[in-house]
Amino acid sequence: MLKKQRVEYIDRRLKELYPILPIPLDHKDPYTLLVAVLLSAQCTDERVNKITPALFSRADNPFDMMLVPVEEIRAIIRPCGLSPRKSSAISELSRILVERYDGEVPQSLEALEELPGVGHKTASVVMSQAFGVPNFPVDTHIHRLAQRWGLSSGKNVETTEKDLKRLFRRDRWNDLHLEIIYYGREYCSARGCDGTKCEICSTCYPERTKPLKTRKS
């Protein structure tokens, strides 16, 4: 397949496989999504969803969260890992949201990236899933599959994001982000597929016989 053919096939097939796209992280508004995405760094969505009910029962808005002692936040989120850093970030970003943005999550990628603990990927997820602004956040699944499917060189996540944005229509970015994540977890995981086994890998590269070594993000 030529790259253009792969792009068209992948776009069509993922849409067929995932006609309904639930957001993986449980939340009720942009703030709770922001906190959940921050917690998901180096932690599974499943574990985050088990932790956030206890956290949000204590405080589910920045006004209340900024008043919760950091040590208490840390104790609640400890199972998510990196709890000292994450608890401090949650406390501090809550204070900033109250003081600078009247308690609202800013609808700007640049403003989000200025918040403690919020990197480009987290900001992109919030812009995409909370506000519907087209973005293509790249996680480990997307970074891996983009290489396996010949869509990006995989030098780094920044390059992968630029390549995917260039290849796919802007109005598909938000859905494709989730579709690729779901496909990567279900069919093309790091251990479950080596670039030759799953449907999309074998369709895009039917003559590939040796495992494809992918670059880490």
Side-chain angles (χ1 to χ4, degrees), residues 58 64-75 87 91:
R58 182 66 177 84
D64 292 337
M65 190 70 79
M66 65 180 289
L67 301 178
V68 179
V70 175
E71 294 75 15
E72 185 176 343
I73 298 174
R74 184 186 305 168
S87 58
S91 179

Side-chain angles (χ1 to χ4, degrees), residues 78-93:
R78 184 170 288 115
C80 288
L82 306 176
S83 59
R85 186 190 314 169
K86 291 177 180 178
S87 58
S88 177
I90 291 170
S91 179
E92 183 63 12
L93 73 81

Side-chain angles (χ1 to χ4, degrees), residues 96-158:
I96 291 173
L97 291 180
V98 170
E99 294 180 354
R100 296 185 190 173
Y101 302 103
D102 298 320
E104 299 294 325
V105 175
Q107 298 185 37
S108 159
L109 196 66
E110 294 73 21
L112 285 168
E113 289 177 347
E114 291 178 354
L115 295 173
V118 179
H120 178 70
K121 177 187 164 249
T122 297
S124 296
V125 170
V126 173
M127 290 299 294
S128 168
Q129 297 177 2
F131 303 123
V133 178
N135 276 273
F136 216 132
V138 174
D139 73 348
T140 54
H141 293 291
I142 295 175
H143 187 63
R144 179 178 67 253
L145 269 58
Q147 294 174 63
R148 288 180 174 175
W149 298 344
L151 304 178
S152 178
S153 65
K155 291 180 180 179
N156 50 58
V157 292
E158 291 80 12

Side-chain angles (χ1 to χ4, degrees), residues 10-212:
I10 290 166
D11 192 1
R12 181 182 71 255
R13 188 66 184 118
L14 288 174
K15 192 185 299 185
E16 292 170 351
L17 286 169
Y18 303 103
I20 299 175
L21 287 168
I23 295 177
L25 292 169
D26 296 338
H27 67 286
K28 69 171 187 175
D29 55 23
Y31 175 74
T32 51
L33 176 63
L34 173 61
V35 173
V37 178
L38 188 155
L39 288 173
S40 71
Q42 298 184 39
C43 181
T44 64
D45 293 345
E46 182 180 9
R47 179 168 294 180
V48 172
N49 288 337
K50 290 180 179 178
I51 298 303
T52 49
L55 179 64
F56 295 148
S57 67
R58 182 66 177 84
D60 63 357
N61 62 82
F63 295 95
D64 292 337
M65 190 70 79
M66 65 180 289
L67 301 178
V68 179
V70 175
E71 294 75 15
E72 185 176 343
I73 298 174
R74 184 186 305 168
I76 295 172
I77 68 170
R78 184 170 288 115
C80 288
L82 306 176
S83 59
R85 186 190 314 169
K86 291 177 180 178
S87 58
S88 177
I90 291 170
S91 179
E92 183 63 12
L93 73 81
S94 298
R95 182 187 63 78
I96 291 173
L97 291 180
V98 170
E99 294 180 354
R100 296 185 190 173
Y101 302 103
D102 298 320
E104 299 294 325
V105 175
Q107 298 185 37
S108 159
L109 196 66
E110 294 73 21
L112 285 168
E113 289 177 347
E114 291 178 354
L115 295 173
V118 179
H120 178 70
K121 177 187 164 249
T122 297
S124 296
V125 170
V126 173
M127 290 299 294
S128 168
Q129 297 177 2
F131 303 123
V133 178
N135 276 273
F136 216 132
V138 174
D139 73 348
T140 54
H141 293 291
I142 295 175
H143 187 63
R144 179 178 67 253
L145 269 58
Q147 294 174 63
R148 288 180 174 175
W149 298 344
L151 304 178
S152 178
S153 65
K155 291 180 180 179
N156 50 58
V157 292
E158 291 80 12
T159 299
T160 299
E161 180 180 337
K162 289 178 182 178
D163 288 340
L164 294 176
K165 284 182 173 180
R166 176 175 52 83
L167 292 171
F168 294 97
R169 298 194 321 267
R170 180 180 173 86
D171 63 353
R172 284 283 289 140
W173 292 355
N174 288 354
D175 284 351
L176 274 166
H177 159 70
L178 289 173
E179 289 166 359
I180 296 174
I181 289 175
Y182 284 133
Y183 186 88
R185 291 175 178 175
E186 191 171 0
Y187 302 108
C188 197
S189 64
R191 296 182 180 179
C193 179
D194 58 8
T196 67
K197 298 177 181 178
C198 79
E199 176 189 348
I200 293 182
C201 283
S202 59
T203 301
C204 288
Y205 292 96
E207 298 180 359
R208 181 189 284 162
T209 58
K210 296 181 179 180
L212 179 71

